[in-house]
Every structure is written in structure tokens, then in C-alpha cells.
Amino acid sequence: MHMKRSSSADVNKYILPNHWGQYLESYKDRYGELINVCVNNRLERNYNVRRHAYSEIEYCTSKDELGMSKRNPDWLMITFYAIVLTLIVLMVGANVVDWLGHDQVKVRRNWKRLTEQPTSELYREFGYIDGLRVFTSVFVLGIHCLMIAGIIPLSNPEYTEEVDLCTICIVTVQIFFAISGVLLTTTVLKDIDRKPQLESIYFWEKIKNRLIRIVPVYYFFLLVSIVGDELPGVEMGTVGYKTLIQEQGRCRKKWWTNVLFVSNLPPFGEERCSLQGWYLAADQQLFLVTLLLMVAFWKFPKQAGALMWSCVAIALAIPAGIVYFYELESSLPVRLSDLQFLFMYQAWFNHLYMPGYSNMNSYMAGVVVGYLYHQHKHNKLDLDNSMLYTILKKARLPLLALAYLPTFIFYRYEIPRSSWLTMTHTILYRNVGVIAGCVSFIECFRNPPGPVRQFLTSKSMTSLGKLSYSVYVLHVPVTRLVLNWFPQMIELKLLDLVWMLAVLGGSSYLVGVIVYFCIEQPVSLVLKHYLPDKRRGKAEGRIEVLRFG
């Protein structure tokens, strides 16, 4: 039996489907008051805490968790089995046909796609992004391990409370958005140069190709989140309710917000399904807005610079305005009480971290890099004589220190909201990281590659980079299944976090290879083959670029 303690302000924050309430009433009646007495006695005896806490039973476990053995497979489970069976039959059938035809089997073809390095000019300039995505993906996995430590029952919760590394995780997300902005801008401007009289269908094809790229894997693991606890061989562990059942309950109600890529917007903040889908929703929204900006570049090429800098000004103002209007913290707040509910009730996350419009500054920073790269290729760029660029390049490290080192002050102390100090730190915290990253991107295309870039563009890093999307989408469902088997209570140490990251990273990339071979590559190639494409004469290297964004 598991319970939670909270102040009176947090008592009503429970993620529990209404039709399961009947399973808890008998336990509440029998043990509710007894738990209150025991917990408060322990707080007073061990910690000399005179202010009594309120205890509430969150969920109870038994040999047959919530009558799971009596449930019959529903249409969602049948759909999952049908999809898996179809993928297996098609993969086996395609390889048999190829084998009989004395051609390379599909697995070998997919292996070649995974390990080969593109030779396009654009890849030579930005190929290091594949390797960069590997390191940023591992960093994201590490942050999520810290989040896991705040969700599962711990005997030393104060250890997690003292770890303040999560406040810098915003940089990773911003870099991902900037990368998408860079590559979308460079590819579109390059295509406009090659064929100024583009047809409007070109932009619709961009949207179609992007959906083909992200939807199959995303929707498959969205379905996994809904049926996870019913998969063959999965039995409810001691923390299975928190890791699997709660997620399933949310997804059965809010799956459509993920399908429509709106799960990151504030109206859908409570009871989010498949939490990692917020990034895909935000990135899709920003992709569409930026593509509309590219249409404006195409229609009004002489006003492209003015349009871009106007959008940059708007993008910088939006997050600052949100912080001021809602009186939010200047930096990402990380508290155990918020982690328990995956920040679904946290105003900072709902209004500032997840919406696409509040991350427009990061995407637009990438657009600026792409635009400057385009100017550089046409010998129209002279940054050596730019005072602004020189200042930004030299001030990167001091600005990063000002942006991220003081976060503990706002985390541990009650700084007045909407004050000049909070607003100043907000502007630094929301923009310095992505600006420093984008200055580095600019330096990369202005200078020949050094040892670091050569390593990031190596074959191994390129191959791992191609798995980054699948790993991001699948690592949360995989983590939930693994956590289901965690013991009822653990004591967390630094070595445990390192071991957790190694297991999570290794298992995610291993499953990522399988997903790449069985879902991502085959399904996308089939869809590209059978869906109509009205354009002709596409460059071979262009498909490779799409995987970044």
C-alpha cells in the first residue's frame, strides 16, 4: 500500500480515474486515520516537526491489481496486436521476396541507410549536428533519471531535493529547437535559390514529408502508453500503478491532444498523455509558423531581413511577457511536490516551458543562423566588422554564468515576482543559452572543422544520431516498463543515478535500432512511395536533412 503526505493546499491533486475510486474506499476507512497518526508520530519523534501533516492513501496493490486478470482485451489492444503482426509479416515477406530475387535483403538496405554518411554540401557543413544530438539526447536521459528519482518512493527524498541540475535542462530543449530552425531555413532558402519560381505545393510537400517522418513511431508508442500494462509478460510491480496505470488512464482520455499535436498547450495541461509528446507538438507548431515565414521570404525576398528581425523581436518579448503577466519564477522551478505529478499542475511548465509560442525565441535563433549561412554562401556576410556579433562571441561565457549560476537563489529564496531582478534574469535565462549555441553554429560554418567537429561527424556518431528521434519517443514508455519492477522503497545515491542512466540509455538505443529497422525506415519509405508527390527532380541528399528536424 502506498500513500502520500501533503499540505492542505495539495490534498486535491490526485491523478485517479473516477471509476477506480471504489477500490480505495475500504482501505481509506480502515487505515486512513491510523496512517495519519503513525506518520505524524514519526515526524515528531524523528524530526521534531510539531506541525502535523495530512496523509492520504494514493493507491493500494494486491495480487490482482484492480482486477486486471478479469479484463478482456479491448479494441485498442487488438489494434496494437494487429499493427505488430502486420509489421512482422511485411518485414519477413519483403526480405523473403528480396532473397528469392537475389537482391540485397531489406535489413541490409536499412543497415546501409543507418551507417552510410551523406555526401551533400549541406551535410558537410552541418553533419556534426548528428553527433551533437547524441550528446544532447544522453543529457535528456540523465535529466529524466533525476525526474524518476523524484517520482518513485524514496527513503531519502531530501537527496533529490538537493540536486539542482534540472534548472539547466532548458538549454538542451532550446538547442533542439534551434537545430530545427537552422535546417529548415537552410534547406528552403537553398531550394528557392535553385528554383525561384517554386510552386506552393512545395511547402505542402514539406509538411507531408515531416509528418511521414515523425508520425509512425510517435503514434505507435502513444498506443504503447495506452496498452502498456496489458502487454504480454507485464505484471504489475510495486510501483506499477504510478508508472503504468496512471499514464494509461490519462491517455485513454487525452490521446487526441497528442494526435493533433496540441498536448503542450495550457488548456490541456492537466492529465497530459505521453508527456514527451509535448516537444513534438511544440516543434510541429513552430515548424508550421517558420514555414509560413519561409513563404513570406519566397514571396517578398527584398523584405526577408526585416521580416526575420521583426519575428525575432516578437519571439523575445513573448516569454518575458508571460513571466510578467502570470508572475512566474524567472528559472525552471524543480520541487518534489511538482515531480510527483510530472509538472502537470506547475504554472511555469504549462505557460512557459511547453507551449510552442513561448519557445519561438529558440526556433527563431536557428532561423537567424540559417539566414546568415545563406548570406555567407553568397558572400554577403561580413561578421568580422559587426560589433554586435563580436560582443556576443566574447561575452558568451560571462553571460552563461549570469544566466545559470544564480538560479539557486530564485530556487531557494522568495524573490518578488515581476520585479526588475526577476525580469532581468528571465531574459538572460531564456535566451543566453540558445544564443551561445547559435554563435557556435555560426563559427562552425565560418571556419574549417577541428577535431571535435570531425569526431561529431564520424560514422559512429552519424549512425547514433539517426536513432535520436526514435530513442526520444520510446525512452519514456521503456522507462515506465522498467520502473514497474522497481522495489517498493529505495535509497538513492549518485552511483544509482549513473547506473540508472547507463541502463536506460543502453536499453533505449537497443530498442531504437529495432524500431529504426522495423518501423521508422520501412513505414516512412512505404508512405513516401505510395503517397502522391507532385514535385519532380528532387535532390537525393534532401531526404537526409529532414531527419534533423
Side-chain angles (χ1 to χ4, degrees), residues 404-465:
Y404 301 116
L405 291 182
T407 53
F408 76 94
I409 297 175
F410 296 87
Y411 180 64
R412 296 178 184 274
Y413 303 100
E414 197 64 37
I415 305 296
R417 310 290 173 82
S418 301
S419 64
W420 68 269
L421 185 61
T422 301
M423 296 306 299
T424 302
H425 187 250
T426 293
I427 295 172
L428 291 172
Y429 183 78
R430 293 291 303 181
N431 297 292
V432 167
V434 69
I435 290 175
C438 287
V439 169
S440 299
F441 291 156
I442 295 171
E443 288 298 294
C444 284
F445 71 68
R446 294 182 70 221
N447 298 287
V452 174
R453 283 169 61 191
Q454 290 175 353
F455 169 71
L456 293 177
T457 53
S458 63
K459 180 174 288 189
S460 59
M461 297 303 293
T462 298
S463 300
L464 290 174

Side-chain angles (χ1 to χ4, degrees), residues 220-231:
F220 179 82
F221 281 97
L222 179 61
L223 185 57
V224 169
S225 297
I226 298 176
V227 302
D229 62 298
E230 302 177 43
L231 294 176

Side-chain angles (χ1 to χ4, degrees), residues 93-316:
N95 282 285
V96 169
V97 170
D98 274 0
W99 179 72
L100 292 176
H102 303 288
D103 195 1
Q104 282 187 318
V105 296
K106 288 283 190 294
V107 172
R108 290 180 183 175
R109 291 181 183 180
N110 287 338
W111 178 258
K112 184 179 180 181
R113 293 188 185 98
L114 178 63
T115 56
E116 71 180 356
Q117 290 181 294
T119 58
S120 65
E121 179 185 4
L122 198 57
Y123 187 83
R124 289 196 298 270
E125 296 283 5
F126 293 100
Y128 64 91
I129 286 178
D130 264 334
L132 179 63
R133 291 186 69 182
V134 176
F135 285 100
T136 49
S137 295
V138 172
F139 184 78
V140 169
L141 295 181
I143 293 298
H144 287 178
C145 285
L146 288 175
M147 292 177 61
I148 289 168
I151 296 171
I152 59 179
L154 298 176
S155 60
N156 59 334
E158 67 280 355
Y159 181 83
T160 306
E161 191 75 60
E162 292 173 358
V163 178
D164 198 22
L165 294 177
C166 289
T167 56
I168 64 172
C169 75
I170 187 175
V171 180
T172 307
V173 177
Q174 290 179 324
I175 294 300
F176 273 122
F177 283 133
I179 288 173
S180 297
V182 169
L183 294 164
L184 176 60
T185 305
T186 52
T187 53
V188 173
L189 292 181
K190 182 180 179 180
D191 289 340
I192 292 175
D193 278 347
R194 295 174 60 182
K195 189 178 180 182
Q197 301 302 321
L198 285 176
E199 298 178 358
S200 58
I201 192 64
Y202 167 85
F203 297 98
W204 291 109
E205 289 294 324
K206 280 285 186 183
I207 297 173
K208 185 194 76 173
N209 288 334
R210 177 178 173 79
L211 293 176
I212 289 174
R213 165 80 174 92
I214 66 175
V215 160
V217 175
Y218 180 39
Y219 284 8
F220 179 82
F221 281 97
L222 179 61
L223 185 57
V224 169
S225 297
I226 298 176
V227 302
D229 62 298
E230 302 177 43
L231 294 176
V234 176
E235 298 180 3
M236 294 301 296
T238 52
V239 293
Y241 176 87
K242 183 179 286 291
T243 59
L244 295 178
I245 299 298
Q246 288 183 343
E247 173 82 352
Q248 182 192 62
R250 295 194 297 269
C251 285
R252 285 181 178 267
K253 292 191 297 183
K254 295 295 183 70
W255 59 269
W256 60 272
T257 62
N258 294 73
V259 170
L260 297 179
F261 294 99
V262 295
S263 61
N264 65 318
L265 298 178
F268 313 109
E270 295 186 1
E271 300 191 4
R272 278 194 175 95
C273 163
S274 189
L275 189 65
Q276 75 277 21
W278 81 265
Y279 171 81
L280 299 178
D283 198 58
Q284 179 66 14
Q285 294 157 14
L286 292 169
F287 173 86
L288 295 175
V289 171
T290 305
L291 196 61
L292 186 61
L293 179 62
M294 294 297 105
V295 174
F297 282 11
W298 169 52
K299 291 288 188 180
F300 311 102
K302 294 183 179 180
Q303 288 76 37
L307 286 170
M308 182 186 67
W309 291 114
S310 298
C311 290
V312 169
I314 295 172
L316 291 173

Side-chain angles (χ1 to χ4, degrees), residues 40-49:
N40 286 311
N41 180 269
R42 178 183 173 190
L43 289 173
E44 189 170 343
R45 183 182 68 249
N46 296 347
Y47 304 101
N48 197 29
V49 176

